[in-house]
Amino acid sequence: MCILNIKNLHVNIKKKKIIKNLNLKIKIGEIHAIMGPNGSGKSSLSLTIAGHKKYKIYKGSIFLKKKNINKYSIDQRAKNGLFVSLQNNIEIPGLNNQNFLYKSFNSIRNYQKKKKINLIKFKKLIKKEMHKLDMSNDFLKRSVNEGFSGGEKKKNDILQILLLKPKLIILDEIDSGLDIDTLKKISIIIKNLKNKKRSFIIITHYQKILNYINPKFIHIFYNGNIIKTSDKKILKKIEEKGYGWFKK
Amino acid sequence: MIHIGKETKSIILSKSISMENSKNTYRSLVKIGKKANKSKNFTKCESLLIGNNSNSNTFPIIKSENIKSTIEHEASSIYIKDEQLFFLLQRGINEDKALSMIINGFCKNILNMLPLEFSIEAQELLSLSFNLHEK
């Protein structure tokens, strides 16, 4: 069964075509990677799936678990198990990190008709997850992403995944700005998170994270569409010849 | 703020929120008297603008009769970025709540200085006034 099914998708920003006739199917429990040159529409795709208002679908549809989500609002999509980690992490001054995580956690639980968890239990839960990422406790007292280093922001995203347990996770350049040790740790966590019920889309420019994670398919994105789908073998060719080789 | 004695210090922290067609004006007078040697004043004005028609002005008046004192004034305007709202929505928080979370974050360092009961009341009031607006 497919968790994500994109059919003949066309997307515009201010009348400029960004995604052209895209088809993509992702089955439950698969990891897909998307690679491609800058400005080819990779991030636009992730924002379109998330439901950003700027990206207008004028043709085609997106199905999340058999439900057509074209008209769903951003938070509705999130509550249905979609998680998008953005390329540039947003800072919200003054908003306490723990408060934010708690609200987000219970809001999604509420939608799934699960019982609300109180703050004391939540604190225990979050400390357990934070331990996996080697985060210190003062992290909870800080404002969301304000004054965080690049690595800390990415870790914060992973922490949100660990807490919210989404079904489809889109990671947009999760590996940029990470040192080798942190990259390895995050890759291992992603690998552990992968199970029969959870799928990933990993958008990246570098092979390193893909070597750790082993995606089943690698899609090459160019000019708003997938021009080639292959497996890990293609990585070597990209390294040697760059993306120019695909354009022919 | 009037400084009379020597080595006196003061801080003014002003925050304002303007939404839709509202206008907000800040006026102040900081006066440092002749005898107020080595006095210091720091003023900070932050205004949060929501929507395209909101408006915020700052008119500070500074009168100093003493050359050994320092007066600083800082003014900035902030608006809620689409991306901030998008981020909170993507994490499953609904729009009203997300907006009030960002606004409360903006007011936080002032609300924190209030007595507990009043600070809670002020937060409630903020979220209430924005919910009313949505309906």
Side-chain angles (χ1 to χ4, degrees):
Chain A
M1 197 184 132
C2 289
I3 181 130
L4 183 76
N5 191 357
I6 299 176
K7 282 181 184 167
N8 306 325
L9 187 73
H10 292 254
V11 176
N12 276 2
I13 292 190
K14 290 175 187 164
K15 290 182 181 171
K16 196 186 160 215
K17 285 178 191 171
I18 290 191
I19 289 168
K20 299 159 193 166
N21 202 16
L22 178 79
N23 286 294
L24 181 64
K25 266 186 193 177
I26 289 171
K27 283 182 188 152
I28 291 173
E30 282 181 348
I31 298 184
H32 288 233
I34 295 179
M35 295 181 90
N38 296 105
S40 57
K42 306 185 296 294
S43 295
S44 301
L45 176 67
S46 63
L47 291 170
T48 308
I49 298 171
H52 198 293
K53 279 177 200 161
K54 221 165 80 184
Y55 300 85
K56 294 208 167 73
I57 298 174
Y58 79 91
K59 223 172 158 186
S61 40
I62 304 171
F63 292 90
L64 189 70
K65 277 191 277 176
K66 286 182 180 170
K67 275 182 249 174
N68 187 335
I69 58 166
N70 277 19
K71 281 179 184 154
Y72 277 29
S73 65
I74 305 165
D75 55 319
Q76 257 178 318
R77 295 176 196 213
K79 283 166 186 163
N80 277 295
L82 177 70
F83 185 99
V84 178
S85 151
L86 299 168
Q87 191 177 349
N88 307 313
N89 299 77
I90 308 301
E91 296 183 6
I92 303 175
L95 176 59
N96 180 275
N97 214 355
Q98 179 181 291
N99 193 356
F100 155 66
L101 292 168
Y102 184 61
K103 287 249 169 70
S104 164
F105 182 74
N106 270 330
S107 170
I108 285 181
R109 274 183 84 86
N110 189 22
Y111 183 82
Q112 291 165 347
K113 286 173 185 146
K114 285 179 190 163
K115 248 191 185 171
K116 204 176 167 184
I117 278 185
N118 65 30
L119 196 59
I120 298 162
K121 271 187 187 165
F122 179 74
K123 264 192 175 170
K124 271 185 197 162
L125 190 83
I126 197 168
K127 280 194 178 145
K128 210 176 83 193
E129 304 291 8
M130 273 166 68
H131 188 70
K132 286 184 197 164
L133 286 158
D134 274 346
M135 290 163 128
S136 63
N137 284 348
D138 69 298
F139 175 82
L140 289 174
K141 289 172 193 152
R142 293 159 75 181
S143 300
V144 177
N145 289 346
E146 195 193 23
F148 282 27
S149 74
E152 281 176 318
K153 285 178 183 174
K154 300 292 179 195
K155 274 186 178 178
N156 198 5
D157 266 359
I158 300 288
L159 180 67
Q160 287 154 29
I161 296 174
L162 288 169
L163 281 173
L164 302 177
K165 298 190 171 62
K167 295 282 180 324
L168 175 66
I169 300 159
I170 302 176
L171 300 171
D172 196 351
E173 291 191 21
I174 192 85
D175 51 350
S176 64
L178 293 184
D179 64 63
I180 300 172
D181 295 332
T182 316
L183 180 64
K184 208 170 175 182
K185 193 173 280 158
I186 284 182
S187 308
I188 290 166
I189 288 170
I190 292 173
K191 232 177 160 179
N192 290 339
L193 271 169
K194 187 218 161 200
N195 60 22
K196 280 176 186 169
K197 286 178 183 170
R198 193 168 287 138
S199 318
F200 283 87
I201 300 177
I202 294 163
I203 299 173
T204 182
H205 283 291
Y206 308 103
Q207 305 184 15
K208 211 154 214 165
I209 190 167
L210 302 182
N211 285 334
Y212 287 127
I213 294 175
N214 269 327
K216 198 169 177 191
F217 297 103
I218 295 175
H219 305 286
I220 307 297
F221 223 78
Y222 181 70
N223 209 357
N225 205 343
I226 291 170
I227 52 167
K228 195 168 175 68
T229 298
S230 181
D231 56 6
K232 254 180 105 176
K233 287 171 201 157
I234 207 167
L235 289 173
K236 242 185 187 172
K237 259 181 187 167
I238 296 171
E239 186 91 318
E240 281 169 13
K241 296 175 182 173
Y243 295 114
W245 176 73
F246 296 101
K247 290 172 197 170
K248 284 160 197 170
Chain B
M1 190 65 69
I2 301 169
H3 290 249
I4 299 171
K6 61 179 178 184
E7 288 175 36
T8 45
K9 285 177 191 167
S10 67
I11 295 172
I12 300 173
L13 184 59
S14 153
K15 298 217 178 200
S16 68
I17 303 167
S18 327
M19 197 169 177
E20 304 243 308
N21 294 316
S22 60
K23 276 185 187 175
N24 200 321
T25 307
Y26 165 89
R27 290 172 205 273
S28 72
L29 170 67
V30 176
K31 191 180 172 184
I32 293 190
K34 272 180 195 168
K35 288 177 186 171
N37 275 340
K38 290 183 187 171
S39 288
K40 274 183 190 171
N41 165 260
F42 175 67
T43 306
K44 194 176 183 183
C45 289
E46 285 184 320
S47 26
L48 181 71
L49 302 169
I50 304 170
N52 291 326
N53 291 323
S54 52
N55 193 325
S56 181
N57 303 302
T58 305
F59 301 110
I61 297 170
I62 293 166
K63 281 183 184 165
S64 178
E65 296 169 348
N66 184 305
I67 40 168
K68 283 178 183 169
S69 299
T70 53
I71 301 168
E72 282 177 69
H73 183 91
E74 203 178 90
S76 60
S77 62
I78 301 166
Y79 54 94
I80 293 182
K81 292 169 195 143
D82 278 354
E83 305 305 319
Q84 287 180 330
L85 210 54
F86 174 79
F87 173 75
L88 291 180
L89 289 171
Q90 216 298 305
R91 300 300 184 258
I93 295 162
N94 66 33
E95 203 167 339
D96 292 2
K97 219 177 199 175
L99 203 62
S100 87
M101 276 165 91
I102 296 174
I103 291 165
N104 267 320
F106 171 75
C107 311
K108 195 184 176 190
N109 48 10
I110 284 195
L111 292 180
N112 273 356
M113 288 178 200
L114 301 172
L116 183 68
E117 294 89 345
F118 192 70
S119 137
I120 291 168
E121 207 165 299
Q123 280 184 33
E124 286 291 312
L125 204 67
L126 270 176
S127 56
L128 203 70
S129 58
F130 286 104
N131 282 348
L132 275 177
H133 210 101
E134 231 91 60
K135 282 160 198 170

